[in-house]
């Protein structure tokens, strides 16, 4: 996907990019590739692939959830900033907090935010499990996103404790999401969530399958969750 195709595909969805936004995506790409030479941020480095599989793919969350209103989004395990930084570029009015367990990635994100002149972005070096019990962050976010971080039973324990009651958790998954969702239902309900909507679609051009799960936080997460770092992955709620 070249830049023209990227712009045209977003335009079809009602998203018109300004010159400044196009420039921000260009700077994002060049900064990502430059830093990727000294640290492992992404295996995808071809420009057309980055625009399709990282930038466009990240923005698909806004095709199925209303990003036009101001809210505070937390992105769990965003790595090189996906999906939250492309969403922030397109919707500059949202406030973004990214939590990631690798300090190197936090350094990259701080640098990226400076290069792109992003405001109201915060980067926290922490494990999601300890971040989720911190009273400064627990149940403080309107929206929490995660993109291909872990299977749903594990991911729900990392993300739902951060969502305000009445807020939403948006899980961005590739194939096999339906199987994950079946196994993850117990975790979702245990942690106070309820699946509100499920959307399956294919990325343009390469036609790979994607699923976006929108989970509403209906009730408070029990105090014992999230459990200690590593426990959700070893002993998922299933």
């Amino acid at each position: 996907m070249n830049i023209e195709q990227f712009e045209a595909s977003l335009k079809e969805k009602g998203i018109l990019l300004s010159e400044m936004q196009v420039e921000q995506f260009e700077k994002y790409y060049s900064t990502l590739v430059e830093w990727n030479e000294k640290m492992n941020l992404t295996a995808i480095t071809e420009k057309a692939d980055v625009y399709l599989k990282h930038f466009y793919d990240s923005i698909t969350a806004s095709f199925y959830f209303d990003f036009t209103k101001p809210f505070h989004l937390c992105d769990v395990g965003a790595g090189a900033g996906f999906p939250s930084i492309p969403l922030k570029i397109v919707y500059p009015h949202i406030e973004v907090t990214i939590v990631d367990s690798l300090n190197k990635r936090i350094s990259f994100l701080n640098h990226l935010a400076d290069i792109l002149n992003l405001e109201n972005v915060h980067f926290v070096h922490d494990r999601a499990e300890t971040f989720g019990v911190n009273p400064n962050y627990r149940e403080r976010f309107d929206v929490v996103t995660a993109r291909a971080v872990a299977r749903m039973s594990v991911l729900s324990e990392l993300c739902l404790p951060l969502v305000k009651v009445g807020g939403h958790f948006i899980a961005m998954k590739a194939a096999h999401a339906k199987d994950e969702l079946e196994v993850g239902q117990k975790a979702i309900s245990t942690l106070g969530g309820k699946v509100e909507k499920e959307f399956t679609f294919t990325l343009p051009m390469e036609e790979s399958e994607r699923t976006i799960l929108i989970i509403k936080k209906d009730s408070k997460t029990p105090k014992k969750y999230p459990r200690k770092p590593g426990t959700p992955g070893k002993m998922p709620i299933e």
Side-chain angles (χ1 to χ4, degrees), residues 17-35:
L17 295 180
S18 66
E19 281 183 31
M20 187 182 97
Q21 287 168 318
V22 172
E23 193 179 316
Q24 283 176 308
F25 279 112
E26 282 285 77
K27 284 181 180 174
Y28 194 166
Y29 173 71
S30 59
T31 307
L32 178 67
V33 170
E34 180 193 335
W35 278 62

Side-chain angles (χ1 to χ4, degrees), residues 145-161:
T145 53
R147 181 174 171 259
V149 174
R151 64 188 192 274
M152 279 307 296
S153 51
V154 179
L155 200 57
S156 298
E157 187 170 350
L158 302 180
C159 295
L160 275 168

Side-chain angles (χ1 to χ4, degrees), residues 36-56:
N36 203 56
E37 288 176 5
K38 47 190 175 183
M39 68 172 75
N40 182 25
L41 290 167
T42 176
I44 298 168
T45 54
E46 286 296 320
K47 192 168 189 178
D49 290 338
V50 170
Y51 267 82
L52 176 63
K53 296 176 185 177
H54 282 328
F55 296 167
Y56 183 86

